[in-house]
Amino acid sequence: MAASLGDDFEFNNQDYYSLLNVRKEATAEELKASYRRLCMLYHPDKHRDPELKRQAEQLFNQVHRAYEVLSDDHSRAIYDIFGKKGLEVEGWEVVERKRTPAEIREEYERLQREREERRLQQRTNPKGTISVGIDATDLFDRYDEDFEEMPGGGFPHIEINKMHISQSIEAPLTNSDTAVLSGSLSTHNGNGGGNINMTVRRVTSAKGWGEVEFGAGDILGPLIGLKLLRNITARCFVTAQCGLQFSPRGLRPSCSLMTARHLDQNTMGYLQWRWGPNSAMTTSLVRDTKSSHCTLALQLGVPHSYLMMSYQYKFQDEDQTKVKGSIKTGWFGSVVEYGAERKISRHSILSATVSIGVPQGVTLKIKLARASQTYLFPIHLTDQLLPSAVFYATVGPLLVYMAVHRLVIIPYTQAQKEQELELQRKSSATDIAKKKQEAESAVLLMQESVRRIIEAEESKMGLIILNAWYGKFVSDTSQKQEKAKVIDVTVPLQCLVKDSKLILTEASKTGLPGFYDPCVGEEKSLKLLYQFRGVMHQVISADTEPLRIPKQSHKIESES
């Protein structure tokens, strides 16, 4: 419901066709004729009163902007596809003007991505990871008889045996240069260390970029590295990386080369070679579709060689639920993993994975991603393959999530939605009041023109609008409610009469000068009572229904 209200209350996205009262297929001549007519009506120089002059200037500028957009074929095509917001995207002025709607849509999406990238580059874009390793093997691996003689032996011993914290920030230097400062701290069983890195990245062209890295730490020593990326073709790219580590044992050079290629629309192939302390050759295939993600990888190297397969199924639900499983086997042993991932709030994703391996044992990995921050909690349950550990690692997180989701997350999200809905209601009330004021100002500006139109129409017994209402009509028994749902639009419609004719297009009448929406989000209609050739006529027309009067079918039959 909140979403629908948000869509209905986008008043800034005014319909230019409705404002000019022309068809979406209107020709240049029709646009020009409507524009000239409205300019004569709203020209500021026609009004001496300062307030009326100010109001006329605002309406005149709106009409001028609408004509400026619709009279230009390129801008009109953009407006027809994306509306007013599409015209605000930076970069349209350099786009080739002879393009099809499909090409314009593609260009629009590209410019949107570039603008979003620039917006992100203007911020520090902080990213961080906190990992807390928990040793809970005492829950399953301990022997009760060994602890009976020890004080407190009846309670299992759970401890934090390792931690890792890393953080990085970006600082744009120029349009093509970005500096990245990152650092990390790690500790494991009382021993730890840290390092700090400084990276400068330069985008050389649309086909590639390069970066230089400088690092220092209290264990391995200084580091110098270079990384390059180059797009060979539209479907293939190559990355090359080399580094030099100054360690207590001397210089430790390393380098890697990776090439990737789009095999089809959803499949990527990777081939990587690494030389250094962990030399290896890795090849992998990754297929990513709307409903699944598959990976197949093979690595041959020293000291690790392995074969890995993984599959992830994506549910098409609002919470973006995913279930995943993988198997990995190599010289180190074999590992089977399975788990699930779900979006728990607008910016948070929670996942849990059970890892069962030989000789690693059973581990439960809990991950919470909140915006650009990641929190990891690997809980090592047992060094052995115990069915009880597998059962509790699988069922335990599921039961805890269901309880927290029902008792905490659902009430919290409902409270958030109600709060947003209330804010939207207040905002919409302000917008409605603003549109109402603009409509009343337009009616004041129309008075003199309407007087002249009525005099001309009366002299030739032409079209006179006697009464006109716009909004939601209800039963005649609820007169008060009906008045609260409709507005009087007699003057605005009489102002549109030309040569004893009134023509309204198929667009919503809300955008017409002197109109506003009295019942946002509800169905509206237009009810007219008019006189033509001394005969009374009446008609009720739907909001977006085209209307042309006078018509013989609108004639009110006299009572016999």
Side-chain angles (χ1 to χ4, degrees), residues 49 92 102-103 108 191 194 239 257 262 342 380 471 508 533 546:
D49 183 87
W92 282 124
E103 291 172 331
Y108 172 83
N191 298 317
T239 60
L257 182 67
H262 286 274
R342 194 171 195 182
H380 189 50
S508 172
R533 300 287 189 249

Side-chain angles (χ1 to χ4, degrees), residues 101-225:
E103 291 172 331
I104 289 176
R105 180 182 294 275
E106 183 179 350
E107 190 66 24
Y108 172 83
E109 293 172 351
R110 185 186 68 81
L111 291 171
Q112 282 282 56
R113 288 194 299 269
E114 290 182 356
R115 186 173 68 168
E116 181 67 16
E117 290 174 1
R118 288 195 298 271
R119 186 181 67 83
L120 291 174
Q121 289 176 357
Q122 291 172 357
R123 303 186 301 179
T124 57
N125 194 23
K127 297 179 182 178
T129 300
I130 298 177
S131 178
V132 180
I134 302 173
D135 185 357
T137 55
D138 201 30
L139 288 171
F140 298 96
D141 290 344
R142 71 189 221 145
Y143 298 95
D144 293 338
E145 58 270 18
D146 295 339
F147 288 86
E148 289 177 354
E149 300 177 359
M150 297 178 60
F155 297 96
H157 180 63
I158 300 175
E159 65 177 2
I160 296 175
N161 61 353
K162 57 183 176 181
M163 292 185 65
H164 175 80
I165 300 175
S166 63
Q167 185 74 33
S168 68
I169 58 172
E170 295 182 4
L173 304 177
T174 65
N175 291 332
S176 58
D177 297 329
T178 303
V180 181
L181 180 64
S182 61
S184 65
L185 292 172
S186 300
T187 177
H188 188 194
N189 292 330
N191 298 317
N195 67 283
I196 186 169
N197 293 72
M198 178 71 175
T199 303
V200 179
R201 182 185 303 121
R202 162 164 285 193
V203 179
T204 56
S205 67
K207 293 186 176 182
W209 51 264
E211 64 180 29
V212 179
E213 179 183 8
F214 303 93
D218 58 356
I219 298 178
L220 296 178
L223 166 71
I224 299 176

Side-chain angles (χ1 to χ4, degrees), residues 44 54 153 267 290 386 492:
R54 183 186 64 82
T267 308
K290 186 178 180 180
L386 298 179

Side-chain angles (χ1 to χ4, degrees), residues 266 285-289 292-296 309-312:
N266 299 309
L285 289 174
V286 179
R287 182 170 178 80
D288 191 9
T289 64
S292 65
H293 182 94
C294 307
T295 302
L296 175 63
M309 294 179 291
S310 70
Y311 178 81
Q312 181 183 87

Side-chain angles (χ1 to χ4, degrees), residues 307-496:
L307 173 66
M308 189 271 288
M309 294 179 291
S310 70
Y311 178 81
Q312 181 183 87
Y313 182 78
K314 307 173 186 176
F315 291 90
Q316 305 303 311
D317 58 354
E318 184 180 355
D319 296 324
Q320 301 176 12
T321 306
K322 302 174 183 177
V323 293
K324 50 190 175 181
S326 68
I327 181 170
K328 187 175 182 180
T329 182
W331 301 123
F332 56 85
S334 299
V335 178
V336 175
E337 292 188 348
Y338 59 89
E341 176 183 297
R342 194 171 195 182
K343 186 176 182 181
I344 59 174
S345 70
R346 182 180 301 177
H347 304 292
S348 301
I349 297 176
L350 179 66
S351 65
T353 304
V354 179
S355 177
I356 307 169
V358 178
Q360 292 86 354
V362 181
T363 300
L364 171 63
K365 302 175 183 177
I366 298 175
K367 176 181 176 182
L368 174 63
R370 172 72 178 172
S372 58
Q373 302 296 314
T374 303
Y375 304 91
L376 299 172
F377 301 93
I379 305 172
H380 189 50
L381 298 177
T382 175
D383 293 324
Q384 308 173 54
L385 295 183
L386 298 179
S388 58
V390 176
F391 174 79
Y392 285 111
T394 305
V395 177
L398 184 60
L399 295 177
V400 171
Y401 171 77
M402 292 175 63
V404 173
H405 186 263
R406 182 175 294 274
L407 299 176
V408 179
I409 297 176
I410 291 180
Y412 174 74
T413 53
Q414 287 180 345
Q416 271 194 327
K417 289 181 179 179
E418 291 177 0
Q419 185 178 7
E420 291 176 359
L421 184 60
E422 185 63 27
L423 291 174
Q424 287 178 347
R425 286 172 178 166
K426 292 180 180 179
S427 176
S428 66
T430 303
D431 290 335
I432 290 174
K434 181 180 177 182
K435 295 296 293 184
K436 180 179 179 181
Q437 183 179 4
E438 291 179 357
E440 291 173 348
S441 300
V443 170
L444 288 176
L445 297 173
M446 295 174 183
Q447 296 292 342
E448 182 62 27
S449 297
V450 167
R451 184 186 62 81
R452 292 196 302 268
I453 292 172
I454 291 177
E455 289 178 355
E457 293 296 324
E458 285 180 342
S459 65
K460 56 184 178 181
M461 297 186 66
L463 179 60
I464 305 295
I465 307 296
L466 300 176
N467 207 333
W469 297 92
Y470 174 70
K472 181 180 179 181
F473 293 90
V474 292
S475 61
D476 294 335
T477 58
S478 306
Q479 191 68 19
K480 291 183 179 181
Q481 185 179 1
E482 180 177 343
K483 287 186 176 181
K485 294 283 187 177
V486 298
I487 58 173
D488 187 351
V489 291
T490 307
V491 172
L493 290 182
Q494 185 68 65
C495 191
L496 294 174

Side-chain angles (χ1 to χ4, degrees), residues 297-308:
L298 173 65
Q299 176 174 301
L300 300 175
V302 178
H304 297 300
S305 295
Y306 65 84
L307 173 66
M308 189 271 288

